[in-house]
Amino acid sequence: MDLVTPGIGLIFWQTVTFLIVLFLLSKFAWKPITNALRERETSIESALRMADQAKLEMQALKADNEKLLQEARIERDRILREASQAGNALLEEARTRATEEGTRMIENAREAIVNEKKAALTEVKNLAANLSIEIAERILKHELKDSAAQQALVNDYIKEVNLN
């Protein structure tokens, strides 16, 4: 069993060596190691904070983008509605103008028809009057070929006319 149980001298020297190493580590290495660990912890925390902040900023930007998209859709709908209304107004105005122009053209045509009718009636009256005069002239020429008939006609006219 000697091999399994350590001797007192070995335990003493291992304890002394351990304490020296512990002292040296605490004097020279412990503070830089803890400082490095603190710095590492601080940098990780700051990276996490920055990541959270970036995440919040991304959410805010996403919300802003959604808001801008919504506003753009509303603006697009308004522009389309205005364009549709303007097109309808132009169409209605064109219909109104066409109706007015058609009505005016119909009225002008009616006036032209009335004027042509009056002109035709006047021409027919003039033609009838000319024909009547020609017929009367021919009848009178035929009736009044001899001078006795002419004298009788003049006497009849004189009798009908009363001179006061």
Side-chain angles (χ1 to χ4, degrees):
M1 265 266 287
D2 272 340
L3 289 173
V4 180
T5 59
I8 281 269
L10 183 63
I11 292 176
F12 172 76
W13 285 113
Q14 280 183 347
T15 306
V16 170
T17 308
F18 176 75
L19 290 175
I20 291 173
V21 169
L22 184 65
F23 174 74
L24 288 174
L25 283 176
S26 70
K27 184 75 175 170
F28 296 110
W30 194 260
K31 285 185 182 177
I33 290 173
T34 56
N35 287 339
L37 287 174
R38 270 192 221 120
E39 286 178 15
R40 175 90 172 135
E41 184 181 346
T42 308
S43 68
I44 290 172
E45 285 178 2
S46 100
L48 287 173
R49 269 185 272 135
M50 287 174 51
D52 287 341
Q53 186 178 6
K55 185 178 178 183
L56 290 174
E57 287 177 6
M58 287 298 290
Q59 287 175 349
L61 287 174
K62 187 176 179 183
D64 287 346
N65 285 343
E66 287 295 325
K67 183 180 176 184
L68 287 174
L69 259 164
Q70 185 66 24
E71 289 174 0
R73 286 184 188 123
I74 291 170
E75 183 69 15
R76 179 202 63 202
D77 291 343
R78 183 188 61 79
I79 289 171
L80 288 174
R81 200 171 35 255
E82 287 176 359
S84 175
Q85 289 172 349
N88 289 340
L90 285 174
L91 185 62
E92 190 61 35
E93 183 181 336
R95 281 185 189 149
T96 304
R97 261 196 256 138
T99 303
E100 290 172 357
E101 184 69 19
T103 304
R104 187 183 59 76
M105 289 175 71
I106 290 172
E107 199 57 43
N108 287 344
R110 284 183 182 152
E111 288 178 14
I113 290 170
V114 167
N115 290 339
E116 289 294 322
K117 186 177 176 183
K118 286 180 184 177
L121 285 175
T122 304
E123 188 175 333
V124 167
K125 285 180 185 178
N126 288 339
L127 186 60
N130 286 338
L131 283 175
S132 297
I133 290 173
E134 281 183 29
I135 291 172
E137 184 179 322
R138 285 185 183 173
I139 291 174
L140 283 176
K141 278 185 183 179
H142 180 51
E143 291 287 324
L144 300 175
K145 277 187 182 177
D146 60 355
S147 55
Q150 288 177 8
Q151 189 62 37
L153 183 63
V154 169
N155 287 335
D156 283 341
Y157 282 148
I158 291 175
K159 285 181 190 174
E160 287 178 15
V161 175
N162 286 333
L163 295 176
N164 292 10

